[in-house]
Amino acid sequence: MTEQAQAPDAPPPAGAPGAGSAVPGAVLAEEHRLRKDLGFWGLTAIGFSNIVGSGWLFAALYAAQTAGPAALISWIAAGALCALVALVMVELGATRPEGGGTVRWPLYASGRVVGTVVGWSVLLSVGGTAAEIAAIMQYAAHYVPGLYDGGSITASGLAVAAALSLLLTVLNWFAVRLFARMNNLVSLLKVAIPVITVVALLLSGTHGGRLTDHGGFAPYGYAACLSALASGGIVYSVNGFQAPLDFSGEARNPRRTVPAAVLTGIGLAVAMYLGLQFAFLFTVPDSLLGHGWHGVNFDSPFGQLALVLNLHWLATLLYADAVLSPGGSAYVGVAIDARHTYALAKNRLLPRYFMRIDPRHGMPHRALVLNLAVIVVFMLPFGGWQDIVSVMGDMYLLVYAASAVAAAAFRAHDRARGLPRTEGQVPGVRWMAPVSYVVASEFIYWSGWDDLRLALPMVLAGVPLYLVLRYGDRRRAGGREEVSGGRPPLEELRRGAWLVVHLVALTLLSWLGTFGGSGRLPAPYDSVVVGAVALGVFAWAVRSGAAHLRTSPPPAG
């Protein structure tokens, strides 16, 4: 069978990345060039470093502005969601390890419509790396004011950001073992400096009653805790735990090391973020709280707070770390983005040209170059860190939801075929998958109409993109339907319609609801309706995915 006539969305058997005749030989050839050099600590450091970036420098302020002391609840909720979703995604990474797996699994489980829309969202989420670089510019403006002004990066700041993006790309150019060693060192520093910050702030003197004064524990209502998840940057800050999964194709023993690395990274990061939020809440001077938590405003929160508290040595350390922490996350982000782009090329969302793995270094060099261009372009239309991360949080949540569907669809398909339980399956995923799908949908809704009216139409642009790509596939195949395993476009659209319906429903409910919408659908009924719709769509998606898997070309015998 030629590569032209093979379906890109046929699932590999569990435990064998891409194995089977349904996966083009060119894909397997490139996949086998990835180096299996990562162990538990290397994977844990990748996950932790990807989580702890610019979020620790900003999120405590924005969360407090949005929800007051009740932001502590938001951090716990975000950690619980990530742990829940992580266990679902861990099963996928352990049973189907593959480079850029978070892009590949929705394609395997739900077909090309879902694969294209999710892949498009992942391509847009390259903006997360742009957010890290924007954070560096924002803190660096303390020393070089011309880099950041009026809430946005200046022209000179953009030039410096582009040069930094180029440097990070060059550092990712070589073998993954070098990448892992450099990241291990950066991760140690990224743990030490936030811990020093928490201890130093609390020792400088705390203010009692902070959880009850200035409007009470939830001065803006408990609904603000939900809004803080996205608009406060909390989801963005905790996101990144899935990084070890994207490196599962390069792990020495993915079934053992990937699950432990993912959960360890989440636990360490959430504990650190809670400590930082406590320190911020209890050390902001009373003089800055005359207008409540809404009135607290810093361009560089912890750095300026340290100066207010006369901790000049800490301020110096923080402004230096404002380059290190976001820079470390951007360093990991560039590596992950390259693997996503590599996977998108395998999915045919991008030309196969970008799938090439350099045989000497085992790295997707062409994907690195493409992402460099995307990162620089993405910094142009957004003003600052919060503007970028409010939209990025919704992109990440969509990937979580699609992964939950993929895990449930694979299990439903295996049960229908009478297959035994495979090594790497996580106990409880059967109920965790629908719960994580519903919670991710609620988090998307709670981010508010102001964010969703931009984010969801951007995601839905993946549908016309699918049609364009499908037309191109048919032309290359001489008008035959062989590229998608004989399935006509209408059947593909029908099987992927659940995702389109869900996104349209979320957009409509956001406009009707109370999170920045018109309020025609009052609280708490708006969230109840979102949960009911999400649960119904999840059941539809799993049935559709199981049907898709039944008709996908079987692996070679």
Side-chain angles (χ1 to χ4, degrees), residues 101-308:
T102 53
V103 176
R104 296 289 277 174
W105 299 320
L107 174 77
Y108 290 147
S110 300
R112 291 199 67 191
V113 174
V114 173
T116 301
V117 173
V118 172
W120 172 244
S121 301
V122 169
L123 192 60
L124 292 175
S125 69
V126 171
T129 302
E132 301 301 312
I133 297 171
I136 295 174
M137 297 300 103
Q138 196 164 332
Y139 259 79
H142 175 76
Y143 296 110
V144 187
L147 297 179
Y148 190 88
D149 185 54
S152 62
I153 300 175
T154 64
S156 57
L158 184 61
V160 174
L164 179 58
S165 302
L166 177 61
L167 174 62
L168 293 170
T169 300
V170 171
L171 290 174
N172 269 286
W173 197 260
F174 303 102
V176 69
R177 183 176 296 175
L178 174 63
F179 161 80
R181 287 174 178 172
M182 292 183 65
N183 184 64
N184 288 345
L185 175 62
V186 171
S187 296
L188 289 174
L189 296 174
K190 289 173 71 172
V191 172
I193 294 176
V195 170
I196 291 171
T197 299
V198 171
V199 173
L201 289 177
L202 293 177
L203 289 178
S204 70
T206 60
H207 301 273
R210 278 302 172 81
L211 298 183
T212 55
D213 296 343
H214 305 288
F217 182 71
Y220 312 115
Y222 284 95
C225 300
L226 308 178
S227 298
L229 290 166
S231 60
I234 290 178
V235 167
Y236 174 84
S237 299
V238 180
N239 181 68
F241 64 85
Q242 72 275 20
L245 295 168
D246 286 309
F247 285 83
S248 61
E250 295 158 85
R252 286 192 292 269
N253 187 355
R255 289 179 174 172
R256 181 175 60 85
T257 57
V258 170
V262 170
L263 295 176
T264 302
I266 292 173
L268 291 173
V270 171
M272 191 198 74
Y273 280 126
L274 281 171
L276 288 163
Q277 189 69 65
F278 266 110
F280 186 85
L281 291 170
F282 278 92
T283 57
V284 171
D286 284 320
S287 60
L288 299 179
L289 288 166
H291 298 287
W293 292 102
H294 275 334
V296 180
N297 190 27
F298 296 117
D299 287 331
S300 47
F302 282 108
Q304 289 177 268
L305 179 59
L307 290 173
V308 169

Side-chain angles (χ1 to χ4, degrees), residues 312-339:
H312 294 278
W313 66 270
L314 179 61
T316 300
L317 181 65
L318 286 169
Y319 280 110
D321 186 63
V323 174
L324 177 66
S325 284
S329 283
Y331 178 49
V332 176
V334 167
I336 294 171
D337 291 340
R339 282 149 181 85

Side-chain angles (χ1 to χ4, degrees), residues 289-457:
L289 288 166
H291 298 287
W293 292 102
H294 275 334
V296 180
N297 190 27
F298 296 117
D299 287 331
S300 47
F302 282 108
Q304 289 177 268
L305 179 59
L307 290 173
V308 169
L309 298 175
N310 292 317
L311 298 174
H312 294 278
W313 66 270
L314 179 61
T316 300
L317 181 65
L318 286 169
Y319 280 110
D321 186 63
V323 174
L324 177 66
S325 284
S329 283
Y331 178 49
V332 176
V334 167
I336 294 171
D337 291 340
R339 282 149 181 85
H340 284 162
T341 301
Y342 159 76
L344 291 172
K346 291 195 290 185
N347 287 8
R348 294 190 183 276
L349 183 59
L350 292 172
R352 283 283 168 85
Y353 174 85
F354 295 105
M355 190 180 70
R356 173 72 174 172
I357 299 292
D358 182 84
R360 181 180 177 185
H361 298 115
M363 298 292 286
H365 285 169
R366 294 172 181 176
L368 282 168
V369 173
L370 176 63
N371 285 340
L372 172 62
V374 174
I375 290 168
V376 173
V377 169
F378 210 98
M379 285 187 284
L380 295 174
F382 291 94
W385 184 85
Q386 191 178 21
D387 297 318
I388 299 176
V389 303
S390 295
V391 175
M392 289 305 103
D394 294 323
M395 303 295 178
Y396 299 139
L397 288 164
L398 177 62
V399 176
Y400 299 167
S403 297
V405 170
F410 283 131
R411 281 205 168 197
H413 176 247
D414 291 347
R415 286 196 304 271
R417 294 177 61 192
L419 297 178
R421 177 188 176 89
T422 61
E423 183 183 355
Q425 285 188 338
V426 177
V429 162
R430 190 169 183 177
W431 65 264
M432 282 190 283
V435 170
S436 62
Y437 186 88
V438 170
V439 175
S441 300
E442 295 281 14
F443 277 25
I444 292 173
Y445 171 71
W446 292 333
S447 66
W449 172 244
D450 287 341
D451 293 337
L452 291 184
R453 66 182 178 181
L454 174 63
L456 294 185

